Each structure stands twice: as structure tokens, then as C-alpha cells.
Amino acid sequence: MPRKRTAVLISGRGSNLQAFIEAARAPDYPAQIALVISNVASAEGLERARRAGIPACVISHKDFESREAFDRAVDAELRAAKIDIICLAGFMRILSDWFVTQWEGRLLNIHPSLLPAYKGTNVHARVLAAGERRSGCTVHFVVPELDSGPVIAQAKVPVLPDDTEETLAARILAEEHRLYPEGLRRVASGEVTFV
Ligand code: GRF
């Protein structure tokens, strides 16, 4: 089966992008990272793409008058590259319902909580304030409602008594780097589908 052409959308560090790049080196991995799009020109992840020889481009949301116009430009780039699957990885823009509907079932996100708990931002602070003993991360299909699509894979980590937002985030990030490539593998291989 041809490997699914996958685009990774980033805004910053790109450590999850790096995890995909490494996972996709395995000959039996069912996806290839075919394109990286960043909405921020200084994103560190662009350098990771360059080092791995992956085509990368910057589409700045600041160059567009509306959210939908930006989304249409991203969509055009994805279609020109014949992309099958999109992974949002630290992409700090909310996509329009139009975009999400276009790519329904082929658009993945990772969120640093055990969804459906702790949707939205500022997750680790809220988890600590609530005295939770467990947290984690979730790979899910994107639907128009934020952080609400069907779950593809989930990993749990303990919350330790002396945790800070930073220590908890780091423990979860290490799991993300394992879980997100696994989630993409499930979708690219057809093991998990949207409906
Ligand atoms: C991750 O923690 C992810 O869960 C969140 O943004 C962070 C992205 O990190 N949505 P990176 O850019 O992949 O290093």
C-alpha cells in the first residue's frame, strides 16, 4: 500500500514533528511526512524539516484578511502537494469549520490532557489546581467543536505531588512523542477510521 502523504502543521518548536520524522524512517511505517506548513516564519520546526529534506513553507495568517482566506491558502497548498492526512502539531491557529469539514476524517490533533477532560488552553495549571492524580495526552480527529472529535489514542501519566506546570508538561510531552506517531500509524494504515 502506498504510504499516506502526510502534512504536519506547526507554529513553533516542532518536537512532535521530529517524532513523526523519526517514526517515518521505518520502512513499514504507513505514512510519509511530505509537507510541513508553519504560520510562523521563525518556527524552530522549519529547521527540523529542512534538516530532514522535507518540503516546508510558511503561510502567515497576518497576510490574510480573514480566517477563512488563510485557511483557503493552506488548503490550496495541501491539495497541490496531494496530501492525504494532516497532523496539527503545536499549530496555534483555530481552523474554520469550512476547513475542518473539507478534511474531516483526515485531520488529526494532539491535546495534552485526557480528553474529554480539560479541553482548551492552560491545561496543566488547571489539572494541578484540581488536584488530579493523573493526566496525559490524546490524539483525536478534529471536528468543528474544539478538542471534541473521536479519540484515536490516549496515554496516561501520573501527576506527582511536587509537579509544576513545567514538569508535568515535560512528562506528557515525552508520551506525546510516542503516542502521536502511533495515532498517525493507526489512521494511515486504516486500522482506525472516522466513522
Ligand atoms: C504540545 O504539547 C502539544 O500537545 C500542544 O503544543 C505542544 C507542541 O509542541 N498542542 P511541539 O511544537 O510539537 O514541540
Side-chain angles (χ1 to χ4, degrees), residues 107-154:
L107 178 57
L108 280 56
N109 184 40
I110 191 158
H111 183 76
S113 79
L114 294 174
L115 291 174
Y118 300 99
K119 297 175 182 179
T121 56
N122 215 15
V123 171
H124 308 306
R126 288 189 286 135
V127 165
L128 292 174
E132 301 285 0
R133 301 188 53 190
R134 279 179 157 191
S135 191
C137 49
T138 306
V139 178
H140 64 95
F141 286 112
V142 177
V143 296
E145 195 188 335
L146 197 67
D147 299 330
S148 297
V151 170
I152 296 161
Q154 209 160 43

Side-chain angles (χ1 to χ4, degrees), residues 8-20 44-45 48 88-92 109-113 120 124 136-138 147 169-170 172-173 176-177 180:
V8 183
L9 271 51
I10 62 166
S11 300
R13 179 177 56 184
S15 69
N16 279 290
L17 166 64
Q18 191 67 46
F20 285 131
E44 205 185 311
R48 298 179 193 268
L88 307 180
F91 182 66
M92 302 307 286
N109 184 40
I110 191 158
H111 183 76
S113 79
H124 308 306
C137 49
T138 306
D147 299 330
I172 292 173
L173 189 66
E176 291 183 33
H177 295 160
Y180 211 175

Side-chain angles (χ1 to χ4, degrees), residues 7 13 49 69-70 84 93 95 99 103 147 153 156 170 191:
R13 179 177 56 184
F70 168 74
D84 301 305
R93 300 291 302 169
L95 293 161
F99 184 96
W103 291 92
D147 299 330
K156 295 191 180 82
E191 189 178 306

